[in-house]
Amino acid sequence: MLSARSLFQEIHDHDEAFRLFCSIAAKGEDQGGWENGRIARLVEDQWLAPRIARHGADEDKHGRIFNALLHKRGLSPVEVPDDTDYTMLLERQGIGLAHTRLRRDEPLGEADVITYLAHSRVTEQRASEQMRLLRKVFGQHPEIGRAVRMISNDEDNHLAYCHEELLRLAAAGHGRRILQTLQETARAEIRTYRDVSLAVMSHMGRILRWPTAKSAVLAAGIHGVFAYELIGGRHRMTTLRMPDRLDALGGPPPRESFV
């Protein structure tokens, strides 16, 4: 019987599948670390800058964690196929702040900050949900449980921070722009998530030698999620509420380290 647990367990138990999974995750986290690091240097809001830097430091840490999980298995990262590169595909659609903009040493304005936070709010919703799923499957696993719990907690913090900061900007009169940016970002993100999910499953299917019927069932499930999100499920990405975790990224990062 197909389930998230059985699927993730199959990937975990196969060296090449696990290698690809961790490589994809590490690249995405590394990219997020770089982006947040650059934004923290360019933003003029002195309240926000250290929190963005903390966000970037967390993403860098996650990249190191995924690479450490590979190292523990005696594996090295592999080149990530372009069709599985979630962050690159979003940037190509004009979602978030372009890398060409971030490479220029020019301060970011308020509109740039809204674009950044809206992009983060949508993508961190996805990351938080994915890590909660992995936490259900592997939270108590002796090899990777601690890493999964740590990253999941961080992603929940990132999502809380995005809610709080966007609500702060909405209260300052930017509500309409924020809502429009969230809606545009969410529409692009759900398409990209579908495409990346299909690509990842295709690569995993070849590695794990899945029968055609199994691949077809998984693809149908991905398309089903896309249809649900297109019709109405994306609203969870575009609404804002004051989080239970206030100032989730205030203060220095925890001293605990995985690697």
Side-chain angles (χ1 to χ4, degrees), residues 17 54 58 60-61 64 69 84 93 159 177 214 231:
R54 166 74 182 278
D58 285 347
D60 285 337
K61 178 184 70 178
R64 293 194 301 272
L69 292 175
T84 67
Q93 297 174 71
L159 182 58
R177 185 184 191 116
K214 181 173 181 177
I231 293 168

Side-chain angles (χ1 to χ4, degrees), residues 40-52 165 168:
R41 293 184 184 93
L42 298 175
V43 74
E44 295 185 312
D45 187 328
Q46 295 306 302
W47 162 267
L48 201 52
R51 287 155 178 80
I52 299 173
E165 295 307 323
R168 181 169 68 94

Side-chain angles (χ1 to χ4, degrees), residues 51 54 58 156-158 160-161 164 243 245-251:
R51 287 155 178 80
R54 166 74 182 278
D58 285 347
D156 288 347
N157 281 339
H158 299 166
Y161 139 83
E164 187 174 3
R245 304 183 185 192
L246 296 178
D247 198 16
L249 297 187

Side-chain angles (χ1 to χ4, degrees), residues 67-116:
N67 283 317
L69 292 175
L70 287 175
H71 181 73
K72 280 187 171 184
R73 292 261 292 259
L75 303 171
S76 57
V78 295
E79 186 173 349
V80 173
D82 285 347
D83 58 359
T84 67
D85 195 329
Y86 173 81
T87 54
M88 179 188 71
L89 292 171
L90 282 173
E91 189 200 356
R92 285 180 178 174
Q93 297 174 71
I95 300 302
L97 296 174
H99 289 183
T100 52
R101 173 68 180 89
L102 295 181
R103 290 189 180 98
R104 297 201 303 266
D105 290 323
E106 298 174 8
L108 296 173
E110 206 158 48
D112 296 315
V113 171
I114 290 171
T115 296
Y116 154 69

Side-chain angles (χ1 to χ4, degrees), residues 122-182:
V122 171
T123 56
E124 292 298 338
Q125 178 78 40
R126 184 74 71 186
S128 175
E129 291 171 355
Q130 288 181 319
M131 290 310 303
R132 288 184 184 186
L133 177 58
L134 281 176
R135 191 169 187 159
K136 285 183 179 179
V137 176
F138 291 119
Q140 302 306 315
H141 192 280
E143 178 191 347
I144 65 174
R146 181 166 171 253
V148 167
R149 294 193 304 271
M150 184 183 296
I151 296 173
S152 179
N153 184 67
D154 287 346
E155 301 297 4
D156 288 347
N157 281 339
H158 299 166
L159 182 58
Y161 139 83
C162 291
H163 275 277
E164 187 174 3
E165 295 307 323
L166 284 169
L167 284 169
R168 181 169 68 94
L169 286 168
H174 301 288
R176 184 179 296 275
R177 185 184 191 116
I178 289 169
L179 179 59
Q180 179 182 358
T181 307
L182 284 171

Side-chain angles (χ1 to χ4, degrees), residues 243-258:
D244 295 330
R245 304 183 185 192
L246 296 178
D247 198 16
L249 297 187
R255 298 184 66 87
E256 182 183 19
S257 176
F258 180 79

